[in-house]
Amino acid sequence: MKRVIKILAAVSAVLLLGGCGSENEQPSEISEISDISGISDSVQEEISSTDESDKTDSSSSTVGGDISSIWDIPEKEEAPTEFEPFAGLPKADDPLNTVNSKDFRPSLLCYGGGNTFFMWNGTVYKHNGETTEALFEKNAYDLNYYDGMLYFIENDSYDLSNTKTHIEGLLYRYDLNSGAMEALTDHPVSLPVVSGGGIFFTHYATTEAPKPPTGIYRVGEDGTYERLYSGMKHIEYGEYRLKYDWSDEEKVCFSRDDTGLLLENVHPYWDCIVGDYYYYRSNDDRSLNRLSVLTGETATLKPTDESGFFCIDYTVLNGVIYLIGNQSELLRYNFETGDYTEIDYKHVFRYIYADENNIYGVACDREENSISHTFHFIKLSIDGDTVKDEILA
């Protein structure tokens, strides 16, 4: 069983779900990472041991026995043999949006078919903008919607109140029309991403089993798996995929065939694709960055006064970037000024998500001189400077 990965999770003391402190308390930063192979040298230096009480227990959801042979599958797409500087990609007609399935964040929401789906306190809900309906009871993470189906992994041991950010579990598919549910794997997987190209998931290497390195697998129609390429999470844009080359010094690139378009000086995590942009939090300085996949232009989204500022979580709604700052404030980025505007609201968010119309997140109430210990799943409707909030669960 793999040890829990704790990756530079900037957690404000007032936002820990196990209990909230005074609103005036300063945030603390957690910079522990355990047992992940094939990431940048700066992250490798952070690796520390994790005791038994700090491990994610996925054994309860493991159906099969020894699964080590599964990861011995040869890589279908070899690492690029040639690298060129990244200068943009051909525009994709229908880019894959992964903003709600960022790596190392508990992904609790997805949307599609005119509905938004989310999990809270062991129940998966369907929200249509007016009503919220409970669908079934499961501790479902990494929710994906595709073609009338919900995909997710189940983990009964993960606790949002702790700092564990690596979640694994059996992969399930739920038919929204018939209510039928089936397990697609008999062993724990991580970070499923479902698209027209298939069902993808991540297998993390460990110090005990460093090879093959952390990589992306695809579930075949017959239930078998194929290892596609080395990487942290399935991110694609058109015919290109975001790959990692760990054969020497870490290289991150958009790749097709045997050519890699190198993203120089990019050390990403919490990354995603939204429209024609690649977003990531930098492993170097904890800043949020946006890279145009059409031109290669990169913008570091720091406020003018950047002293001590870092990103706790972020989402993108209709091209507008919303971010939780290190003082637990909800901010909206202004590209004209390069600054953030604080949104006046009564909740303190820990994680944020977006569908096509609204922002959602895990939040507790902000009370006079304190913060409530009770967390909810919240919906925020933002119209200019007007904010309407609703507790969904």
Short mmCIF file of all heavy atoms in Angstrom, two decimals, residues 268-322:
data_model
loop_
_atom_site.label_atom_id
_atom_site.label_comp_id
_atom_site.label_asym_id
_atom_site.label_seq_id
_atom_site.Cartn_x
_atom_site.Cartn_y
_atom_site.Cartn_z
N PRO A 268 4.93 22.08 -12.54
CA PRO A 268 3.53 22.28 -12.18
C PRO A 268 2.97 21.26 -11.21
O PRO A 268 3.44 20.14 -11.10
CB PRO A 268 2.84 22.12 -13.53
CG PRO A 268 3.67 21.08 -14.23
CD PRO A 268 5.08 21.29 -13.76
N TYR A 269 1.96 21.67 -10.46
CA TYR A 269 1.02 20.78 -9.81
C TYR A 269 -0.28 21.54 -9.64
O TYR A 269 -0.37 22.72 -9.95
CB TYR A 269 1.55 20.21 -8.50
CG TYR A 269 1.84 21.21 -7.40
CD1 TYR A 269 0.99 21.31 -6.30
CD2 TYR A 269 2.96 22.02 -7.44
CE1 TYR A 269 1.27 22.20 -5.28
CE2 TYR A 269 3.24 22.92 -6.42
CZ TYR A 269 2.38 23.01 -5.35
OH TYR A 269 2.65 23.90 -4.34
N TRP A 270 -1.35 20.84 -9.19
CA TRP A 270 -2.70 21.40 -9.20
C TRP A 270 -2.99 21.96 -10.59
O TRP A 270 -3.54 23.04 -10.76
CB TRP A 270 -2.89 22.50 -8.18
CG TRP A 270 -2.67 22.13 -6.76
CD1 TRP A 270 -2.30 20.91 -6.26
CD2 TRP A 270 -2.79 22.99 -5.62
NE1 TRP A 270 -2.19 20.96 -4.90
CE2 TRP A 270 -2.48 22.22 -4.47
CE3 TRP A 270 -3.13 24.32 -5.46
CZ2 TRP A 270 -2.49 22.76 -3.19
CZ3 TRP A 270 -3.14 24.85 -4.19
CH2 TRP A 270 -2.84 24.07 -3.06
N ASP A 271 -2.64 21.22 -11.64
CA ASP A 271 -2.76 21.76 -12.98
C ASP A 271 -4.02 21.27 -13.67
O ASP A 271 -4.63 20.28 -13.28
CB ASP A 271 -1.51 21.46 -13.82
CG ASP A 271 -1.19 19.97 -13.90
OD1 ASP A 271 -1.80 19.19 -13.14
OD2 ASP A 271 -0.33 19.61 -14.69
N CYS A 272 -4.41 21.99 -14.71
CA CYS A 272 -5.63 21.65 -15.44
C CYS A 272 -5.64 22.37 -16.78
O CYS A 272 -4.86 23.30 -17.02
CB CYS A 272 -6.88 22.02 -14.64
SG CYS A 272 -7.10 23.80 -14.38
N ILE A 273 -6.53 21.93 -17.65
CA ILE A 273 -6.80 22.59 -18.92
C ILE A 273 -8.20 23.20 -18.84
O ILE A 273 -9.16 22.53 -18.43
CB ILE A 273 -6.74 21.59 -20.08
CG1 ILE A 273 -5.28 21.25 -20.43
CG2 ILE A 273 -7.47 22.12 -21.30
CD1 ILE A 273 -4.58 22.29 -21.29
N VAL A 274 -8.32 24.46 -19.21
CA VAL A 274 -9.62 25.11 -19.35
C VAL A 274 -9.59 25.92 -20.64
O VAL A 274 -8.80 26.86 -20.78
CB VAL A 274 -9.94 26.06 -18.17
CG1 VAL A 274 -11.36 26.63 -18.32
CG2 VAL A 274 -9.81 25.35 -16.83
N GLY A 275 -10.44 25.55 -21.59
CA GLY A 275 -10.42 26.23 -22.88
C GLY A 275 -9.06 26.11 -23.55
O GLY A 275 -8.53 25.00 -23.70
N ASP A 276 -8.49 27.24 -23.92
CA ASP A 276 -7.18 27.24 -24.60
C ASP A 276 -6.05 27.61 -23.66
O ASP A 276 -5.01 28.13 -24.10
CB ASP A 276 -7.21 28.22 -25.78
CG ASP A 276 -8.24 27.82 -26.83
OD1 ASP A 276 -8.39 26.62 -27.08
OD2 ASP A 276 -8.90 28.73 -27.38
N TYR A 277 -6.24 27.33 -22.37
CA TYR A 277 -5.22 27.68 -21.38
C TYR A 277 -4.88 26.48 -20.50
O TYR A 277 -5.74 25.66 -20.18
CB TYR A 277 -5.68 28.85 -20.50
CG TYR A 277 -5.79 30.16 -21.25
CD1 TYR A 277 -7.01 30.58 -21.76
CD2 TYR A 277 -4.66 30.95 -21.46
CE1 TYR A 277 -7.10 31.78 -22.47
CE2 TYR A 277 -4.75 32.15 -22.15
CZ TYR A 277 -5.98 32.55 -22.65
OH TYR A 277 -6.07 33.73 -23.35
N TYR A 278 -3.63 26.43 -20.12
CA TYR A 278 -3.13 25.45 -19.15
C TYR A 278 -2.80 26.21 -17.88
O TYR A 278 -1.99 27.14 -17.88
CB TYR A 278 -1.87 24.78 -19.73
CG TYR A 278 -1.13 23.88 -18.76
CD1 TYR A 278 -1.73 22.76 -18.19
CD2 TYR A 278 0.20 24.15 -18.43
CE1 TYR A 278 -1.03 21.95 -17.32
CE2 TYR A 278 0.91 23.34 -17.56
CZ TYR A 278 0.28 22.24 -17.01
OH TYR A 278 0.98 21.43 -16.14
N TYR A 279 -3.46 25.85 -16.77
CA TYR A 279 -3.26 26.49 -15.48
C TYR A 279 -2.46 25.56 -14.57
O TYR A 279 -2.65 24.34 -14.60
CB TYR A 279 -4.61 26.79 -14.81
CG TYR A 279 -5.45 27.81 -15.53
CD1 TYR A 279 -6.28 27.44 -16.60
CD2 TYR A 279 -5.44 29.15 -15.15
CE1 TYR A 279 -7.06 28.37 -17.26
CE2 TYR A 279 -6.23 30.09 -15.81
CZ TYR A 279 -7.03 29.69 -16.86
OH TYR A 279 -7.81 30.62 -17.51
N TYR A 280 -1.61 26.13 -13.75
CA TYR A 280 -0.88 25.31 -12.79
C TYR A 280 -0.38 26.18 -11.64
O TYR A 280 -0.14 27.38 -11.80
CB TYR A 280 0.31 24.60 -13.45
CG TYR A 280 1.37 25.52 -14.00
CD1 TYR A 280 2.49 25.87 -13.25
CD2 TYR A 280 1.26 26.05 -15.28
CE1 TYR A 280 3.47 26.72 -13.76
CE2 TYR A 280 2.22 26.90 -15.80
CZ TYR A 280 3.32 27.23 -15.04
OH TYR A 280 4.29 28.07 -15.55
N ARG A 281 -0.25 25.55 -10.46
CA ARG A 281 0.42 26.21 -9.35
C ARG A 281 1.87 25.80 -9.41
O ARG A 281 2.20 24.61 -9.52
CB ARG A 281 -0.20 25.82 -8.01
CG ARG A 281 0.28 26.75 -6.88
CD ARG A 281 -0.40 26.43 -5.56
NE ARG A 281 0.57 25.94 -4.60
CZ ARG A 281 0.47 26.11 -3.29
NH1 ARG A 281 -0.56 26.74 -2.79
NH2 ARG A 281 1.37 25.63 -2.48
N SER A 282 2.76 26.78 -9.34
CA SER A 282 4.18 26.50 -9.50
C SER A 282 4.74 25.82 -8.26
O SER A 282 4.48 26.24 -7.14
CB SER A 282 4.94 27.80 -9.76
OG SER A 282 6.34 27.56 -9.74
N ASN A 283 5.52 24.78 -8.52
CA ASN A 283 6.21 24.11 -7.43
C ASN A 283 7.37 24.95 -6.90
O ASN A 283 7.91 24.68 -5.84
CB ASN A 283 6.72 22.75 -7.92
CG ASN A 283 7.33 21.93 -6.81
OD1 ASN A 283 6.81 21.89 -5.71
ND2 ASN A 283 8.43 21.26 -7.11
N ASP A 284 7.74 25.99 -7.63
CA ASP A 284 8.87 26.82 -7.24
C ASP A 284 8.49 27.89 -6.22
O ASP A 284 9.21 28.11 -5.24
CB ASP A 284 9.50 27.49 -8.47
CG ASP A 284 10.07 26.48 -9.43
OD1 ASP A 284 10.58 25.45 -8.98
OD2 ASP A 284 10.00 26.72 -10.65
N ASP A 285 7.36 28.58 -6.46
CA ASP A 285 7.02 29.70 -5.57
C ASP A 285 5.55 29.73 -5.17
O ASP A 285 5.09 30.72 -4.62
CB ASP A 285 7.40 31.04 -6.22
CG ASP A 285 6.63 31.29 -7.51
OD1 ASP A 285 5.77 30.46 -7.87
OD2 ASP A 285 6.87 32.32 -8.16
N ARG A 286 4.80 28.66 -5.45
CA ARG A 286 3.40 28.52 -5.03
C ARG A 286 2.47 29.52 -5.71
O ARG A 286 1.37 29.77 -5.25
CB ARG A 286 3.26 28.63 -3.51
CG ARG A 286 4.10 27.64 -2.73
CD ARG A 286 4.12 27.98 -1.26
NE ARG A 286 4.73 29.29 -1.02
CZ ARG A 286 4.77 29.88 0.15
NH1 ARG A 286 4.23 29.30 1.19
NH2 ARG A 286 5.35 31.06 0.30
N SER A 287 2.91 30.13 -6.80
CA SER A 287 2.08 31.08 -7.52
C SER A 287 1.19 30.35 -8.51
O SER A 287 1.51 29.25 -8.98
CB SER A 287 2.95 32.09 -8.27
OG SER A 287 3.71 31.43 -9.27
N LEU A 288 0.06 30.97 -8.85
CA LEU A 288 -0.81 30.45 -9.89
C LEU A 288 -0.36 31.02 -11.23
O LEU A 288 -0.06 32.21 -11.34
CB LEU A 288 -2.26 30.85 -9.61
CG LEU A 288 -3.29 30.36 -10.63
CD1 LEU A 288 -3.33 28.83 -10.68
CD2 LEU A 288 -4.67 30.92 -10.30
N ASN A 289 -0.31 30.17 -12.25
CA ASN A 289 0.17 30.58 -13.56
C ASN A 289 -0.81 30.14 -14.65
O ASN A 289 -1.51 29.14 -14.50
CB ASN A 289 1.54 29.96 -13.85
CG ASN A 289 2.60 30.42 -12.86
OD1 ASN A 289 3.33 31.37 -13.11
ND2 ASN A 289 2.68 29.76 -11.71
N ARG A 290 -0.81 30.88 -15.75
CA ARG A 290 -1.65 30.54 -16.88
C ARG A 290 -0.82 30.59 -18.15
O ARG A 290 -0.17 31.58 -18.44
CB ARG A 290 -2.83 31.52 -17.01
CG ARG A 290 -3.85 31.08 -18.04
CD ARG A 290 -5.01 32.04 -18.14
NE ARG A 290 -4.70 33.18 -18.99
CZ ARG A 290 -5.63 33.98 -19.53
NH1 ARG A 290 -6.90 33.76 -19.27
NH2 ARG A 290 -5.27 35.00 -20.28
N LEU A 291 -0.85 29.49 -18.90
CA LEU A 291 -0.09 29.38 -20.14
C LEU A 291 -1.05 29.21 -21.30
O LEU A 291 -1.93 28.33 -21.27
CB LEU A 291 0.88 28.20 -20.06
CG LEU A 291 1.77 27.92 -21.27
CD1 LEU A 291 3.12 27.38 -20.81
CD2 LEU A 291 1.13 26.90 -22.22
N SER A 292 -0.92 30.04 -22.33
CA SER A 292 -1.73 29.88 -23.53
C SER A 292 -1.19 28.71 -24.34
O SER A 292 -0.02 28.73 -24.75
CB SER A 292 -1.69 31.17 -24.37
OG SER A 292 -2.26 30.93 -25.65
N VAL A 293 -2.03 27.71 -24.57
CA VAL A 293 -1.56 26.58 -25.36
C VAL A 293 -1.53 26.92 -26.84
O VAL A 293 -1.02 26.13 -27.65
CB VAL A 293 -2.42 25.32 -25.11
CG1 VAL A 293 -2.28 24.84 -23.68
CG2 VAL A 293 -3.88 25.59 -25.44
N LEU A 294 -2.05 28.08 -27.22
CA LEU A 294 -2.02 28.50 -28.62
C LEU A 294 -0.76 29.29 -28.96
O LEU A 294 -0.25 29.19 -30.08
CB LEU A 294 -3.25 29.35 -28.94
CG LEU A 294 -4.61 28.66 -28.76
CD1 LEU A 294 -5.73 29.62 -29.11
CD2 LEU A 294 -4.70 27.39 -29.60
N THR A 295 -0.25 30.06 -27.99
CA THR A 295 0.90 30.93 -28.27
C THR A 295 2.13 30.59 -27.43
O THR A 295 3.24 30.99 -27.76
CB THR A 295 0.55 32.39 -28.01
OG1 THR A 295 0.31 32.58 -26.60
CG2 THR A 295 -0.69 32.79 -28.78
N GLY A 296 1.94 29.89 -26.32
CA GLY A 296 3.04 29.61 -25.41
C GLY A 296 3.30 30.72 -24.42
O GLY A 296 4.19 30.60 -23.57
N GLU A 297 2.53 31.79 -24.48
CA GLU A 297 2.72 32.91 -23.55
C GLU A 297 2.27 32.51 -22.15
O GLU A 297 1.19 31.95 -21.95
CB GLU A 297 1.92 34.12 -24.02
CG GLU A 297 2.07 35.34 -23.13
CD GLU A 297 1.24 36.52 -23.59
OE1 GLU A 297 0.54 36.38 -24.62
OE2 GLU A 297 1.28 37.57 -22.93
N THR A 298 3.11 32.83 -21.15
CA THR A 298 2.82 32.48 -19.76
C THR A 298 2.65 33.73 -18.93
O THR A 298 3.42 34.69 -19.05
CB THR A 298 3.95 31.63 -19.16
OG1 THR A 298 4.11 30.43 -19.93
CG2 THR A 298 3.63 31.24 -17.73
N ALA A 299 1.63 33.74 -18.08
CA ALA A 299 1.40 34.84 -17.15
C ALA A 299 1.41 34.29 -15.73
O ALA A 299 0.75 33.30 -15.43
CB ALA A 299 0.06 35.52 -17.43
N THR A 300 2.20 34.92 -14.85
CA THR A 300 2.20 34.58 -13.44
C THR A 300 1.19 35.47 -12.74
O THR A 300 1.31 36.69 -12.77
CB THR A 300 3.60 34.78 -12.83
OG1 THR A 300 4.52 33.91 -13.49
CG2 THR A 300 3.58 34.43 -11.34
N LEU A 301 0.19 34.85 -12.14
CA LEU A 301 -0.95 35.60 -11.63
C LEU A 301 -0.73 35.97 -10.17
O LEU A 301 -1.38 35.47 -9.26
CB LEU A 301 -2.22 34.78 -11.80
CG LEU A 301 -2.43 34.22 -13.21
CD1 LEU A 301 -3.71 33.40 -13.28
CD2 LEU A 301 -2.45 35.32 -14.24
N LYS A 302 0.21 36.87 -9.97
CA LYS A 302 0.50 37.37 -8.62
C LYS A 302 -0.07 38.76 -8.47
O LYS A 302 -0.10 39.55 -9.43
CB LYS A 302 2.01 37.44 -8.39
CG LYS A 302 2.70 36.09 -8.22
CD LYS A 302 4.17 36.32 -7.93
CE LYS A 302 4.91 35.01 -7.70
NZ LYS A 302 6.35 35.24 -7.39
N PRO A 303 -0.54 39.12 -7.27
CA PRO A 303 -0.95 40.51 -7.05
C PRO A 303 0.25 41.43 -7.04
O PRO A 303 1.40 40.99 -6.90
CB PRO A 303 -1.62 40.46 -5.67
CG PRO A 303 -0.98 39.30 -4.99
CD PRO A 303 -0.69 38.30 -6.07
N THR A 304 -0.01 42.73 -7.21
CA THR A 304 1.08 43.70 -7.22
C THR A 304 1.89 43.62 -5.94
O THR A 304 3.13 43.61 -5.96
CB THR A 304 0.52 45.12 -7.40
OG1 THR A 304 -0.26 45.16 -8.60
CG2 THR A 304 1.64 46.13 -7.49
N ASP A 305 1.19 43.56 -4.81
CA ASP A 305 1.86 43.36 -3.53
C ASP A 305 1.87 41.87 -3.24
O ASP A 305 0.91 41.32 -2.73
CB ASP A 305 1.13 44.11 -2.41
CG ASP A 305 1.79 43.89 -1.05
OD1 ASP A 305 2.93 43.40 -1.03
OD2 ASP A 305 1.15 44.21 -0.03
N GLU A 306 2.96 41.21 -3.63
CA GLU A 306 2.99 39.76 -3.58
C GLU A 306 3.66 39.21 -2.33
O GLU A 306 3.91 38.01 -2.22
CB GLU A 306 3.73 39.21 -4.80
CG GLU A 306 5.17 39.68 -4.90
CD GLU A 306 5.83 39.21 -6.18
OE1 GLU A 306 5.42 39.64 -7.25
OE2 GLU A 306 6.77 38.40 -6.07
N SER A 307 3.94 40.05 -1.37
CA SER A 307 4.64 39.62 -0.17
C SER A 307 3.81 38.58 0.59
O SER A 307 2.71 38.86 1.05
CB SER A 307 4.92 40.82 0.74
OG SER A 307 5.51 40.40 1.94
N GLY A 308 4.35 37.38 0.69
CA GLY A 308 3.69 36.33 1.46
C GLY A 308 2.45 35.75 0.83
O GLY A 308 1.74 34.96 1.45
N PHE A 309 2.14 36.11 -0.43
CA PHE A 309 0.90 35.65 -1.05
C PHE A 309 1.10 34.30 -1.71
O PHE A 309 2.09 34.05 -2.37
CB PHE A 309 0.45 36.67 -2.11
CG PHE A 309 -0.83 36.30 -2.80
CD1 PHE A 309 -2.05 36.64 -2.25
CD2 PHE A 309 -0.81 35.60 -4.00
CE1 PHE A 309 -3.23 36.31 -2.88
CE2 PHE A 309 -2.00 35.26 -4.64
CZ PHE A 309 -3.20 35.62 -4.08
N PHE A 310 0.13 33.39 -1.51
CA PHE A 310 0.16 32.14 -2.26
C PHE A 310 -1.27 31.62 -2.44
O PHE A 310 -2.21 32.11 -1.82
CB PHE A 310 1.06 31.08 -1.61
CG PHE A 310 0.70 30.72 -0.19
CD1 PHE A 310 -0.25 29.76 0.08
CD2 PHE A 310 1.34 31.34 0.88
CE1 PHE A 310 -0.56 29.41 1.39
CE2 PHE A 310 1.04 31.01 2.18
CZ PHE A 310 0.10 30.03 2.43
N CYS A 311 -1.40 30.66 -3.32
CA CYS A 311 -2.69 30.13 -3.73
C CYS A 311 -3.04 28.89 -2.92
O CYS A 311 -2.26 27.94 -2.86
CB CYS A 311 -2.63 29.81 -5.22
SG CYS A 311 -3.97 28.80 -5.84
N ILE A 312 -4.23 28.88 -2.29
CA ILE A 312 -4.71 27.70 -1.59
C ILE A 312 -5.53 26.81 -2.52
O ILE A 312 -5.42 25.59 -2.49
CB ILE A 312 -5.53 28.10 -0.35
CG1 ILE A 312 -4.59 28.62 0.75
CG2 ILE A 312 -6.34 26.93 0.19
CD1 ILE A 312 -5.29 29.03 2.02
N ASP A 313 -6.35 27.40 -3.35
CA ASP A 313 -7.08 26.66 -4.38
C ASP A 313 -7.58 27.68 -5.40
O ASP A 313 -7.59 28.89 -5.15
CB ASP A 313 -8.25 25.88 -3.78
CG ASP A 313 -8.71 24.74 -4.70
OD1 ASP A 313 -8.08 24.52 -5.76
OD2 ASP A 313 -9.70 24.06 -4.35
N TYR A 314 -8.00 27.20 -6.57
CA TYR A 314 -8.48 28.12 -7.60
C TYR A 314 -9.47 27.40 -8.50
O TYR A 314 -9.54 26.17 -8.53
CB TYR A 314 -7.32 28.67 -8.44
CG TYR A 314 -6.67 27.64 -9.35
CD1 TYR A 314 -7.07 27.50 -10.69
CD2 TYR A 314 -5.67 26.79 -8.89
CE1 TYR A 314 -6.48 26.57 -11.52
CE2 TYR A 314 -5.08 25.86 -9.72
CZ TYR A 314 -5.48 25.75 -11.04
OH TYR A 314 -4.91 24.81 -11.86
N THR A 315 -10.25 28.18 -9.23
CA THR A 315 -11.12 27.63 -10.27
C THR A 315 -11.27 28.68 -11.35
O THR A 315 -10.84 29.83 -11.18
CB THR A 315 -12.48 27.19 -9.70
OG1 THR A 315 -13.16 26.40 -10.68
CG2 THR A 315 -13.34 28.39 -9.32
N VAL A 316 -11.86 28.29 -12.46
CA VAL A 316 -12.06 29.20 -13.59
C VAL A 316 -13.51 29.09 -14.04
O VAL A 316 -14.00 27.99 -14.31
CB VAL A 316 -11.11 28.87 -14.76
CG1 VAL A 316 -11.30 29.86 -15.90
CG2 VAL A 316 -9.66 28.84 -14.30
N LEU A 317 -14.19 30.22 -14.09
CA LEU A 317 -15.60 30.26 -14.51
C LEU A 317 -15.75 31.25 -15.64
O LEU A 317 -15.54 32.46 -15.45
CB LEU A 317 -16.49 30.64 -13.32
CG LEU A 317 -17.97 30.88 -13.62
CD1 LEU A 317 -18.62 29.62 -14.20
CD2 LEU A 317 -18.71 31.32 -12.36
N ASN A 318 -16.09 30.75 -16.83
CA ASN A 318 -16.29 31.60 -18.00
C ASN A 318 -15.10 32.54 -18.25
O ASN A 318 -15.27 33.73 -18.53
CB ASN A 318 -17.57 32.40 -17.86
CG ASN A 318 -18.81 31.52 -17.77
OD1 ASN A 318 -18.87 30.48 -18.41
ND2 ASN A 318 -19.78 31.91 -16.97
N GLY A 319 -13.91 32.00 -18.12
CA GLY A 319 -12.70 32.75 -18.38
C GLY A 319 -12.23 33.62 -17.23
O GLY A 319 -11.16 34.24 -17.32
N VAL A 320 -13.01 33.70 -16.15
CA VAL A 320 -12.64 34.50 -14.98
C VAL A 320 -12.01 33.58 -13.94
O VAL A 320 -12.53 32.51 -13.63
CB VAL A 320 -13.87 35.22 -14.39
CG1 VAL A 320 -13.46 36.04 -13.17
CG2 VAL A 320 -14.52 36.09 -15.44
N ILE A 321 -10.88 34.02 -13.38
CA ILE A 321 -10.13 33.21 -12.41
C ILE A 321 -10.53 33.62 -11.00
O ILE A 321 -10.48 34.80 -10.64
CB ILE A 321 -8.62 33.40 -12.59
CG1 ILE A 321 -8.20 32.97 -14.01
CG2 ILE A 321 -7.84 32.63 -11.55
CD1 ILE A 321 -6.81 33.41 -14.39
N TYR A 322 -10.92 32.64 -10.20
CA TYR A 322 -11.23 32.84 -8.79
C TYR A 322 -10.24 32.04 -7.97
O TYR A 322 -9.91 30.90 -8.32
CB TYR A 322 -12.66 32.41 -8.48
CG TYR A 322 -13.69 33.24 -9.19
CD1 TYR A 322 -14.14 32.89 -10.46
CD2 TYR A 322 -14.23 34.38 -8.59
CE1 TYR A 322 -15.09 33.65 -11.13
CE2 TYR A 322 -15.19 35.15 -9.25
CZ TYR A 322 -15.61 34.78 -10.52
OH TYR A 322 -16.55 35.55 -11.17
#
